[in-house]
Amino acid sequence: EVQLVQSGAELKKPGESLKISCKTSGYKFTSYWIGWVRQMPGKGLEWMGLIYPRDSETRYSPSFQGQVTISADQSITTAYLQWSRLEASDTAIYYCARRITLFGVVAAAFDIWGQGTMVTVSS
Amino acid sequence: DIQMTQSPSTLSASVGDRVTITCRASQSVSTLLAWYQQRPGKAPKLLIYKASTLESGVPSRFSGSGSGTDFTLTISSLQPDDFATYYCQQYSSYSTFGQGTKLEIK
């Protein structure tokens, strides 16, 4: 069974750093892009970016470029999303998701999703 | 950025009804469009990709159509599990989601 299992909820203070994880299983990790999607409280979905674990190529939405870093570790089939300095506006649920295979475009639909990680940033 | 606009924002319907949700793109996305269902407190679930291709395991009462800038998601006969929020997603130029359509019980 293909699964993406995310790390647990986080409560952080403004200015702190954070790295959340997305552990994958049940498929070949290096063959699919993994993406991250933000959902602020009571709001819709926002596409943040993607990583291709085979070579760590990353693509970011212009809205999130420079604000977060996406990475992956092939040895433990895990993708990461990290912040160097959190702000209150980063409070949201963050989902990782597997991108379906599609050539010729950066993004594509996500067929398997993690359960989400709630990040709360408050002083 | 390509903007995606869904209508209506909220839709009230009854079990057994046929409903249609519309998604409009600010510029052509060809057929590079997906639809998701999100239940409260849960992750989104892929229903349709490439505008009209049904994801494996999704009931056939769900269907998608359209190309270019105008797309529709149709549920032919609403079931109790279908009351949720629905999102469209374009992936022609990076990716953006619509603002969502909440399907409520009338």
Side-chain angles (χ1 to χ4, degrees):
Chain A
E1 180 190 7
V2 176
Q3 283 192 306
L4 278 63
V5 178
Q6 297 184 231
S7 49
E10 300 276 1
L11 175 59
K12 307 293 281 187
K13 291 182 166 52
E16 292 185 331
S17 63
L18 176 64
K19 190 173 188 177
I20 62 175
S21 65
C22 173
K23 169 66 178 174
T24 75
S25 61
Y27 74 98
K28 191 173 182 181
F29 182 63
T30 52
S31 295
Y32 291 83
W33 292 76
I34 291 282
W36 289 91
V37 175
R38 182 174 80 174
Q39 188 166 38
M40 299 177 77
K43 302 299 184 181
L45 305 171
E46 299 174 89
W47 190 90
M48 301 177 71
L50 295 164
I51 187 164
Y52 191 55
R54 178 171 297 177
D55 57 10
S56 291
E57 180 180 355
T58 53
R59 302 291 182 95
Y60 293 94
S61 160
S63 300
F64 291 93
Q65 178 83 49
Q67 308 304 308
V68 297
T69 301
I70 297 171
S71 60
D73 185 336
Q74 288 185 35
S75 67
I76 53 172
T77 64
T78 299
Y80 300 96
L81 178 67
Q82 69 180 85
W83 296 258
S84 58
R85 287 185 60 84
L86 286 160
E87 301 176 0
S89 58
D90 294 316
T91 295
I93 298 172
Y94 293 87
Y95 293 101
C96 64
R98 189 182 77 167
R99 173 194 179 276
I100 65 173
T101 299
L102 182 65
F103 299 103
V105 290
V106 170
F110 293 122
D111 62 348
I112 307 293
W113 292 65
Q115 82 277 19
T117 295
M118 179 70 216
V119 173
T120 303
V121 184
S122 175
S123 54
Chain B
D1 285 9
I2 297 177
Q3 307 301 316
M4 307 300 292
T5 304
Q6 290 182 230
S7 60
S9 295
T10 306
L11 178 57
S12 297
S14 302
V15 172
D17 284 354
R18 177 185 179 90
V19 299
T20 297
I21 298 169
T22 297
C23 180
R24 175 163 288 174
S26 59
Q27 63 190 75
S28 176
V29 299
S30 183
T31 57
L32 299 179
L33 184 114
W35 290 96
Y36 298 86
Q37 175 193 69
Q38 186 178 33
R39 297 191 177 101
K42 299 296 186 182
K45 174 187 174 182
L46 178 63
L47 300 174
I48 287 167
Y49 61 96
K50 207 177 176 186
S52 60
T53 302
L54 198 66
E55 171 69 348
S56 176
V58 173
S60 59
R61 63 180 180 274
F62 291 92
S63 63
S65 66
S67 66
T69 60
D70 294 313
F71 302 86
T72 58
L73 172 70
T74 299
I75 310 172
S76 60
S77 178
L78 275 174
Q79 300 301 301
D81 276 353
D82 300 339
F83 292 96
T85 299
Y86 293 84
Y87 293 94
C88 62
Q89 176 208 14
Q90 70 80 17
Y91 46 92
S92 170
S93 173
Y94 283 88
S95 183
T96 43
F97 291 89
Q99 82 279 14
T101 294
K102 185 175 182 180
L103 180 52
E104 298 181 328
I105 300 175
K106 184 184 285 185

